[in-house]
Amino acid sequence: MTELGRSGLAVSRIAFGTWQLGGDWGSFDDSGVVATIRRAYELGINLFDTAQGYGYGTSEELLGRALRDQLRSDRASIVLATKGGIDPEGERTRDARPAYLRKGVESSLRALGVDYIDLYQVHWPDPDTPAEETATALQELVDAGKIRHVGVSNYDVADLTAFEAVRPVETLQSPLHLFQRKIQDEILPYARRLDIGVLAYSPLGSGLLTGAMTASTRFDPDDWRARSSAFTGDDFIHNLEIVDNLAAFAAGRSMTVAQLAVAWVLAQDGVDVAIVGARHARNIEAAAQAADLALSADDLAEIDKLTAGMTPALGSTPEGPL
């Protein structure tokens, strides 16, 4: 367990992520996912991250259903984190206006089946809404007991500074993995200075670092990766060759390449939590083990050498894949 920055929340270093349950990653079996979520709880994972924008509440509903017994019998043992401020089919894709956030919180409470949310995060910065309005609205929701802590996601330093001027940013969720290190330059140092809890999402590079992909891997048409340059063509093949080298390195240290990837993320100064999405119990079991794996300074240096020629895999935004 670790303390999630200035929020004071006591959380597992692995969070169970649910982006993969919102319809952007192809089809899946509900019953298998419910079993996987329950297995994560059994393993001591107490932080579960979801979002209103993952299938318009589909992910939240599935998570709430999977944890229903635990939420009723021991609510304090679970830290529920969700996100709002995204409306893919609305007049504004990014909508952090107070009215939409208030509506979103009520929707998330219903979908999750709870009367408060432990951590509510603004999913993406909204350039058309002043930070003062967003931050003030979220503080009002804290005062009303609807949410307990406030965080943001995908914010840069300028966004963080503007929000911070109104009320503290307690947590920050950002992408970080071996093929995406942008936050290391300015964002992580900023978060460390202010004791902002950092949750790193996509530690497995949206699947690149699982070790399961090959040059012949193809994605369902409704999977966002089917439209991403990072998962097609020469860039994809090149990065898979790097993954093969990382896998050989990991095997020499009695771990899988996926465990190496998660351990690397958790080894970065200022990162509190790695958010790992899984549809099968074996995958979350392996990720949970990665939280206890230590990488030496020599290991980290060698990993940097192995990935020096990688092509960045930047993921997806509300407007589409990068």
Side-chain angles (χ1 to χ4, degrees):
M1 301 290 279
T2 191
E3 189 170 289
L4 189 56
R6 55 167 57 159
S7 77
L9 289 165
V11 297
S12 49
R13 295 211 72 195
I14 300 295
F16 189 96
T18 61
W19 184 13
Q20 76 280 10
L21 310 183
D24 292 328
W25 301 76
S27 59
F28 60 90
D29 172 50
D30 278 19
S31 60
V33 168
V34 166
T36 301
I37 293 170
R38 291 173 179 168
R39 179 58 178 151
Y41 181 79
E42 292 172 355
L43 292 168
I45 292 172
N46 77 328
L47 176 56
F48 295 84
D49 181 76
T50 185
Q52 180 189 7
Y54 297 163
Y56 281 101
T58 300
S59 174
E60 291 175 320
E61 291 173 1
L62 187 55
L63 179 62
R65 173 155 53 93
L67 294 174
R68 183 67 60 237
D69 290 345
Q70 290 79 12
L71 289 169
R72 287 174 177 167
S73 63
D74 192 7
R75 175 67 180 86
S77 71
I78 294 175
V79 177
L80 287 178
T82 192
K83 299 179 285 293
I86 292 296
D87 188 10
E89 296 180 5
E91 63 180 52
R92 290 169 55 168
T93 302
R94 305 183 187 204
D95 192 346
R97 289 175 291 184
Y100 190 71
L101 290 177
R102 286 191 288 267
K103 179 181 176 182
V105 166
E106 295 297 337
S107 174
S108 292
L109 288 169
R110 289 192 300 271
L112 289 164
V114 295
D115 56 11
Y116 71 88
I117 294 162
D118 297 281
L119 174 62
Y120 196 80
Q121 305 150 100
V122 183
H123 205 154
W124 284 85
D126 173 6
D128 297 321
T129 300
E132 180 178 5
E133 293 183 14
T134 298
T136 298
L138 291 173
Q139 182 57 49
E140 290 171 352
L141 287 161
V142 171
D143 295 340
K146 302 285 187 178
I147 62 179
R148 298 209 165 168
H149 300 278
V150 172
V152 297
S153 181
N154 299 296
Y155 273 44
D156 62 19
V157 169
D159 297 320
L160 290 166
T161 302
F163 196 103
E164 182 75 19
V166 184
R167 69 96 67 202
V169 177
E170 296 181 70
T171 67
L172 168 66
Q173 187 173 147
S174 290
L176 178 64
H177 55 79
L178 285 164
F179 295 106
Q180 164 60 297
R181 308 186 185 195
K182 185 177 179 181
I183 70 168
Q184 290 181 321
D185 296 333
E186 296 180 357
I187 295 173
L188 272 182
Y190 181 96
R192 288 197 298 269
R193 287 197 302 274
L194 275 67
D195 192 27
I196 296 172
V198 174
L199 305 95
Y201 74 80
S202 294
L204 299 179
S206 300
L208 270 175
L209 289 154
T210 60
M213 291 185 180
T214 69
S216 60
T217 296
R218 298 293 180 269
F219 304 97
D220 291 345
D222 57 350
D223 188 319
W224 69 269
R225 292 171 295 182
R227 304 181 301 281
S228 170
S229 61
F231 293 92
T232 57
D234 292 341
D235 288 346
F236 184 47
I237 302 303
H238 175 63
N239 281 345
L240 286 178
E241 292 171 353
I242 293 175
V243 173
D244 287 342
N245 293 333
L246 289 168
F249 178 81
R253 283 147 184 79
S254 301
M255 62 180 82
T256 67
V257 68
Q259 290 175 321
L260 178 77
V262 172
W264 180 86
V265 166
L266 291 175
Q268 304 310 299
D269 190 15
V271 173
D272 298 292
V273 170
I275 302 174
V276 179
R279 291 178 177 174
H280 303 285
R282 63 179 180 276
N283 294 332
I284 199 63
E285 289 168 354
Q289 293 169 5
D292 297 321
L293 298 175
L295 296 174
S296 68
D298 287 344
D299 289 336
L300 294 171
E302 183 62 24
I303 291 169
D304 284 343
K305 290 179 182 177
L306 291 171
T307 57
M310 60 86 174
T311 299
L314 301 179
S316 183
T317 73
E319 292 74 36
L322 294 170

